Amino acid sequence: MSPDLLELASRTSAGAGPANFNGPLRGLKVIDAGTMIAGPLAATHLADFGANVTKIELPGVGDSMRHWAPIKDDRSLWWKVIGRNKRLVTLTLSKPRGQELFKQLIRDADIVIENYRPGTFERWGLGYDVLSRINPRLVFVRVSGFGQTGPYAKRGGYGTIAEAFSGIPSFTGFPDRPPTLPGFPMADSVAATFSAMAAMFAVYNRDQGGSGRGQEIDVSLYEPLFRLAEAQVIGFDQLAIVKERQGNRLAEDSPRNTYRTRDGRWVGISASSQKTFERLARAMEKPELISDPRFRDNASRCTYADPLDAEISGWFADRDFAEIAEIFERADVVAGPVLDIKDIFSDPHYAARENIVPVPDEDFGEVRMQNVAPRFLGTPGEVRHSGRALGADNREIFIGELGLNEAEFSSLKAEGVI
């Protein structure tokens, strides 16, 4: 083995990275029993901050994310990100022997995360009632399309369906076009963030403010998005407001849009406060906009958003991006360019904040991906390695930790249990 691969092997041993890594969740044991995005991404968030995360995958097949594009040399690059910082084992939970091994794995675990259709873990004899008798301290996070209860609980619930069900696409997009879905798995990603947050709430309650017992947490894909809709519910309740699609505008904020420069770049602006609007008007050398009664405050500007947008759009169309950036920098205008990923890779602020980091990878030597967020100044998280091969830690965990002998290990492999 080359020196580089020896170093990589030492860093990825037990999925924990360097022995001196001191992330804020060091010592927390998590079992990632999920698949695809929502559950596994929640576990990745915890792993990024030092939790000891063991991911379970189906033998021979692995998590579906191992097969998602983009693909390089028959390896999923998406898997490299969502599988990072985890120990990896294979285990068939639908088989009785697999269920026995799972129960052994969770005996000293703090958190289990799963995102199968409601009822699946119960069918396998692995419901919370069973697991909590084995480990009363266990926090069991369950992510599903519509939640564990209600008339839609048994429905399949991919992120796209949850996004539509949340109501957000109904007011996202342009008024003369269909409702717009996000260009990434937003529902899964937001639910994953809420799941990681909820798991830590429950651990705090268990260890600091509760009885020492864990609990079951029910996270749907649609409810975190619905929570982010903020004033939609109270607006309808009190004023019967049904928010409609307005493109990049907001009914509560004007000017707020993206504007195209002469050289084809796009710039986003939000200037709802009076001070930010006045700085924008002066930077554009259009002080008459400030004294125009149609634009005297944010409420008036929202009423007359069309003529205001026309003024700003015309000004942008006559200038190149570099000139506008320089003008706005001098005038302290709240604005920012619309970046694509190529722009981001060369942006100095992204570089200074180390938002993209090089990560050791067993297939490609080194890959770059998003750094850990948010940023802890005392005990920061760290990307210690990318997602690795299927069953990479089977021997270490099943023999080294659960105490199986070589004959048992070989027999379970032959039976497709591991």
Side-chain angles (χ1 to χ4, degrees):
M1 185 180 290
S2 71
D4 288 344
L5 288 179
L6 279 171
E7 179 185 0
L8 176 61
S10 68
R11 290 194 66 182
T12 59
S13 176
N20 63 353
F21 176 66
N22 193 33
L25 298 185
R26 185 177 186 180
L28 192 77
K29 184 172 181 180
V30 179
I31 305 298
D32 173 2
T35 183
M36 295 192 73
I37 300 173
L41 180 56
T44 304
H45 289 319
L46 301 177
D48 284 352
F49 286 99
N52 177 358
V53 176
T54 299
K55 176 167 181 58
I56 294 172
E57 299 178 77
L58 194 64
V61 178
D63 194 295
S64 297
M65 297 309 296
R66 288 185 178 275
H67 314 291
W68 272 42
I71 301 289
K72 178 182 178 182
D73 298 342
D74 296 325
R75 298 287 190 273
S76 167
L77 299 180
W78 197 326
W79 166 253
K80 300 291 185 182
V81 183
I82 200 168
R84 71 192 195 186
N85 289 341
K86 298 178 183 179
R87 300 197 297 172
L88 305 175
V89 299
T90 52
L91 188 62
T92 305
L93 297 181
S94 61
K95 292 178 179 286
R97 187 65 175 116
Q99 294 153 15
E100 292 174 16
L101 290 170
F102 184 78
K103 291 173 184 177
Q104 292 184 53
L105 282 173
I106 66 96
R107 284 186 184 279
D108 61 347
D110 293 287
I111 300 166
V112 168
I113 302 173
E114 67 94 358
N115 63 320
Y116 286 82
R117 191 176 293 205
T120 302
F121 267 63
E122 284 75 11
R123 189 171 69 250
W124 292 337
L126 300 174
Y128 179 68
D129 57 337
V130 175
L131 301 184
S132 62
R133 286 198 294 271
I134 299 169
N135 178 1
R137 292 174 54 80
L138 185 70
V139 172
F140 193 25
V141 181
R142 317 193 67 176
V143 190
S144 60
F146 295 94
Q148 302 293 315
T149 62
Y152 304 157
K154 300 296 185 183
R155 291 183 181 179
Y158 285 116
T160 299
I161 285 55
E163 287 153 9
F165 191 70
S166 75
I168 288 178
S170 72
F171 55 84
T172 303
F174 288 86
D176 58 342
R177 300 178 193 176
T180 300
L181 294 167
F184 74 105
M186 182 173 69
D188 295 90
S189 302
V190 174
T193 305
F194 271 64
S195 296
M197 177 177 70
M200 298 316 302
F201 290 168
V203 168
Y204 181 88
N205 177 72
R206 181 194 71 186
D207 295 346
Q208 301 297 325
S211 63
R213 294 185 62 87
Q215 61 184 289
E216 188 175 12
I217 299 172
D218 179 1
V219 182
S220 75
L221 293 182
Y222 81 90
E223 284 168 319
L225 292 179
F226 183 59
R227 174 64 184 88
L228 297 182
E230 288 295 343
Q232 299 300 307
V233 174
I234 196 170
F236 181 77
D237 175 60
Q238 296 296 306
L239 298 170
I241 295 171
V242 177
K243 190 175 178 65
E244 297 179 348
R245 294 189 294 282
Q246 294 183 289
N248 294 319
R249 293 182 186 173
L250 284 178
E252 308 85 2
D253 180 353
S254 180
R256 196 253 195 189
N257 212 332
T258 56
Y259 301 95
R260 195 171 191 267
T261 66
R262 183 169 58 190
D263 54 348
R265 295 289 300 275
W266 291 89
V267 177
I269 285 180
S270 178
S272 58
S273 78
Q274 195 60 27
K275 286 184 178 179
T276 56
F277 173 68
E278 290 179 6
R279 282 201 297 269
L280 172 63
R282 293 191 182 101
M284 293 169 57
E285 297 184 340
K286 289 180 174 286
E288 67 276 11
L289 297 179
I290 299 172
S291 57
D292 191 318
R294 297 175 300 172
F295 312 137
R296 67 180 181 273
D297 56 29
N298 183 60
S300 299
R301 291 193 296 274
C302 289
T303 301
Y304 294 99
D306 285 342
L308 180 56
D309 258 356
E311 290 277 359
I312 298 172
S313 295
W315 185 86
F316 268 82
D318 289 340
R319 292 161 179 80
D320 290 342
F321 173 78
E323 178 189 358
I324 293 170
E326 184 179 345
I327 291 170
F328 283 180
E329 182 73 21
R330 287 198 310 266
D332 194 24
V333 171
V334 180
V338 177
L339 303 182
D340 61 22
I341 192 62
K342 183 179 178 182
D343 299 324
I344 287 171
F345 261 75
S346 60
D347 185 87
H349 190 79
Y350 272 88
R353 297 277 294 175
E354 297 182 327
N355 297 134
I356 298 173
V357 291
V359 177
D361 180 77
E362 63 186 11
D363 292 312
F364 306 122
E366 184 178 272
V367 294
R368 287 187 285 177
M369 62 181 65
Q370 301 96 318
N371 203 350
V372 178
R375 180 180 298 245
F376 280 45
L377 300 186
T379 54
E382 180 183 43
V383 186
R384 301 176 294 286
H385 61 80
S386 64
R388 296 177 296 138
L390 183 64
D393 299 291
N394 274 0
R395 177 171 292 275
E396 177 180 338
I397 291 176
F398 290 126
I399 294 179
E401 295 185 9
L402 297 191
L404 300 182
N405 59 42
E406 288 288 349
E408 289 174 313
F409 186 75
S410 298
S411 175
L412 290 171
K413 286 178 64 178
E415 295 169 13
V417 176
I418 63 174

